[in-house]
Amino acid sequence: MADGKQGVWRAQERRDGGLLDQESLGVLLQAVRRLEAGFAKLPEFEPSAPGIQRLAEVLTAAAERLRDNYPYFHPLYAGQMLKPPHPVAHLAYTLAMWINPNNHALDGGRATSAMEKEAVAEIAGMFGWKDFLGHLCGGGTMANLEALWVAGQLHPGKKILASKQAHYTHGRISGVLQLPFESLSTDTLGRMDVDALAKRLERGDVGTVVATMGTTATGSVDPLPEILELRAKHGFRVHADAAYGGYFVLAENLDQNARSAFERIGTVDSIVIDPHKHGLQPYGCGCVLFRDPGVGRLYKHDSPYTYFSSAELHLGEISLECSRPGASAAALWATQKLLPLKKGGEFARGLEKGRKAARGMFEKLKADSRFITAFAPELDILVFAPRGDSVSESSALSRKIFDAAAKRDLHLAVAELPAHFWKKHLGGMKRDRETLTCLRSVLMKAEHLDWVERIWGLLSGATSQVMRRPAQD
Ligand SMILES: *Cc1c(COP(=O)(O)O)cnc(C)c1O
């Protein structure tokens, strides 16, 4: 990218609040001074630090290494689930690193433990929960591990069910926990097939059903109301894996299926949500919530050394992980102070913009005979493929378009999806493979909405080049 152009997008990012700049670094310095003043009465000491010259050399070398990345922060990165943390999260995280608190126990992170409890209560509040148990953790994997660990203890020996489009972590975690696991087929929209679930439940050995509230591949939302109806009849636990989609409970532009599923999410038994996916946080921030705070008893242990300074709840008493970054809690707390988790608020509007961008792109793809689409996006994730004579030809073209788009600085992703998702749209295409390699685009940044035309232009150009066919409007 030419320097002049870089200046343009940097300015744009600054307006949108995407990157740290001189001004926000000044704000950070002020906050650091304020923090340091709290410890001013301590006697001085000389911290061991390397010389500034050596530090600069190593940091420059690190910067060189870090250039080997896709530009995740830029709207032209429209591939995987990657979104830059909000500047306030970045700043609050860095500020907390002056202390480097550990939220395992109050001894290690008094202020940040309190901030974690507040921030997590706000997340639980989004789902209508007041009296609950929950905490932050390393990410969605760890959060799901805790949820299934609790599920396994409450229904020992019983099956965990999730759909074939659920995150692969559920099968693997069940293996770690030695819980029997089965996956269920999906319908052509990538959602759990409730008829298959109803049939499977007749066998009476199911303890927990994982409802994915936004699958990782396509953003499909499992039909939660129907799953809950079956729970009323069979009495299993429902765990909502909302690692990706959870925040969409605040969005007011969802279609019928997703809307009715999110309306009922508060009635499930446990929820996983990833602030490091849609919550504008740096990596290392997942969250698990349980509707019944009584499950806290399952975590019971008596460590002889960790908890001696206070009778208050230490987060380590209700968490499988021990040491955890207090900085994550500070970042989340600050972000939610600036952007409260409210319907109609700035944060919710940001989610709605990504969804609108995905809808806009979908309409363009649908109207262009060079492409096939499987289904309309339920959240902000799109899947599409170039039309070919066969599924295998279309798959090969997908990879070529991925490369051609990347050369034009548009970064997409590829996904391998069951051919039956595309059944209605294959037309005369020969179905010579069970899966179709398609293109996938996660339009999760609010800025994506203003970039739909640009993204479409680049995609269309890359496609014409690969297919040697001009755009058709
Ligand atoms: C991302 C994701 C996970 C895994 O979470 P990590 O934060 O990557 O560990 C689990 N389930 C779903 C639905 C996800 O999208």
Side-chain angles (χ1 to χ4, degrees):
M1 212 178 254
D3 275 340
K5 252 164 105 192
Q6 258 186 21
V8 174
W9 64 252
R10 285 248 163 84
Q12 168 94 13
E13 287 291 329
R14 251 202 302 275
R15 265 204 312 282
D16 296 338
L19 296 175
L20 289 189
D21 55 18
Q22 298 272 353
E23 209 179 345
S24 42
L25 289 175
V27 171
L28 175 63
L29 205 59
Q30 257 179 28
V32 167
R33 295 213 175 102
R34 178 96 186 172
L35 171 59
E36 284 185 333
F39 299 93
K41 71 173 173 32
L42 293 171
E44 269 187 38
F45 79 110
E46 198 67 43
S48 63
I52 196 79
Q53 181 62 32
R54 188 75 191 110
L55 201 73
E57 276 168 31
V58 172
L59 210 62
T60 306
E64 283 296 330
R65 292 298 296 265
L66 287 169
R67 286 170 64 152
D68 179 23
N69 268 308
Y70 290 118
Y72 307 117
F73 51 87
H74 196 282
L76 287 182
Y77 185 84
Q80 309 281 3
M81 294 170 166
L82 292 152
K83 163 162 155 172
H86 193 280
V88 78
H90 195 157
L91 290 167
Y93 197 103
T94 310
L95 175 66
M97 288 304 291
W98 252 255
I99 304 283
N100 191 29
N102 182 340
N103 275 13
H104 175 218
L106 291 167
D107 292 37
R110 218 163 40 228
T112 45
S113 290
M115 289 161 118
E116 175 168 338
K117 288 173 196 169
E118 286 173 42
V120 169
E122 285 163 13
I123 293 180
M126 262 193 331
F127 303 115
W129 290 1
K130 284 199 178 72
D131 189 21
F132 68 98
L133 192 82
H135 62 85
L136 301 180
C137 57
T141 304
M142 193 61 211
N144 277 305
L145 174 84
E146 288 201 22
L148 294 191
W149 174 72
V150 164
Q153 295 200 67
L154 295 175
H155 293 293
K158 292 209 162 173
K159 288 239 153 59
I160 311 271
L161 300 185
S163 91
K164 285 207 162 71
Q165 287 292 313
H167 199 282
Y168 67 84
T169 196
H170 294 285
R172 216 155 65 170
I173 285 169
S174 300
V176 171
L177 297 170
Q178 303 203 349
L179 300 171
F181 174 84
E182 265 178 50
S183 51
L184 289 166
S185 54
T186 54
D187 62 16
T188 54
L189 302 173
R191 308 167 185 162
M192 179 182 284
D193 178 345
V194 263
D195 294 332
L197 173 62
K199 211 163 144 223
R200 181 60 191 78
L201 289 167
E202 296 300 335
R203 282 160 51 193
D205 58 347
V206 173
T208 302
V209 173
V210 177
T212 305
M213 307 295 286
T215 60
T216 315
T218 64
S220 301
V221 179
D222 281 347
L224 189 60
E226 286 86 346
I227 295 172
L228 292 168
E229 244 172 68
L230 290 166
R231 176 178 72 176
K233 188 168 161 211
H234 296 271
F236 48 83
R237 266 181 91 75
V238 176
H239 168 59
D241 182 359
Y244 184 74
Y247 288 101
F248 280 93
V249 72
L250 300 176
E252 292 176 288
N253 61 350
L254 300 178
D255 292 336
Q256 176 58 34
N257 174 67
R259 190 171 60 240
S260 59
F262 280 109
E263 274 167 5
R264 303 292 305 280
I265 192 170
T267 62
V268 304
D269 300 284
S270 52
I271 301 175
V272 159
I273 180 169
D274 259 352
H276 71 198
K277 284 214 181 111
H278 252 308
L280 300 165
Q281 298 308 297
Y283 284 115
C285 193
C287 179
V288 62
L289 302 166
F290 297 96
R291 187 159 52 105
D292 172 13
V295 302
R297 72 183 186 279
L298 302 170
Y299 287 86
K300 203 168 159 38
H301 66 95
D302 52 67
S303 153
Y305 52 85
T306 318
Y307 315 121
F308 43 71
S309 61
S310 147
E312 270 179 81
L313 178 73
H314 297 261
L315 289 163
E317 289 174 81
I318 55 153
S319 158
L320 285 184
E321 281 173 296
C322 297
S323 293
R324 290 186 303 107
S328 284
L332 185 65
W333 183 91
T335 308
Q336 291 175 190
K337 273 276 168 287
L338 192 70
L339 301 170
L341 302 175
K342 281 202 302 248
K343 280 191 177 171
E346 191 183 336
F347 177 79
R349 292 286 177 249
L351 295 170
E352 289 164 3
K353 281 184 184 174
R355 186 165 149 63
K356 215 169 149 196
R359 281 299 311 206
M361 275 290 286
F362 175 73
E363 293 306 328
K364 289 180 184 297
L365 288 159
K366 216 172 64 169
D368 189 317
S369 65
R370 292 173 300 166
F371 295 101
I372 54 170
T373 51
F375 38 75
E378 283 203 270
L379 302 179
D380 52 7
I381 304 176
L382 270 177
V383 288
F384 56 96
R387 195 180 292 280
D389 292 334
S390 62
V391 172
S392 57
E393 192 199 15
S394 167
S395 296
L397 287 170
S398 289
R399 292 201 182 275
K400 285 188 185 155
I401 293 172
F402 172 83
D403 291 332
K407 290 213 175 77
R408 292 162 194 246
D409 283 328
L410 171 66
H411 302 285
L412 304 168
V414 286
E416 199 69 31
L417 292 178
H420 80 89
F421 284 11
W422 308 81
K423 200 164 55 186
K424 284 193 220 133
H425 311 276
L426 290 180
M429 281 168 66
K430 207 168 119 205
R431 206 171 142 176
D432 58 349
R433 275 179 58 178
E434 277 312 301
T435 61
L436 171 69
T437 313
C438 64
L439 290 156
R440 172 167 163 272
S441 179
V442 181
L443 296 172
M444 71 190 296
K445 297 173 196 133
E447 297 84 26
H448 275 141
L449 185 55
D450 294 333
W451 283 70
V452 168
E453 294 300 331
R454 291 271 295 270
I455 292 172
W456 172 249
L458 292 166
L459 171 64
S460 183
T463 303
S464 295
Q465 184 200 333
V466 166
M467 298 176 86
R468 292 192 197 82
R469 264 201 264 167
Q472 349 206 303
D473 309 295

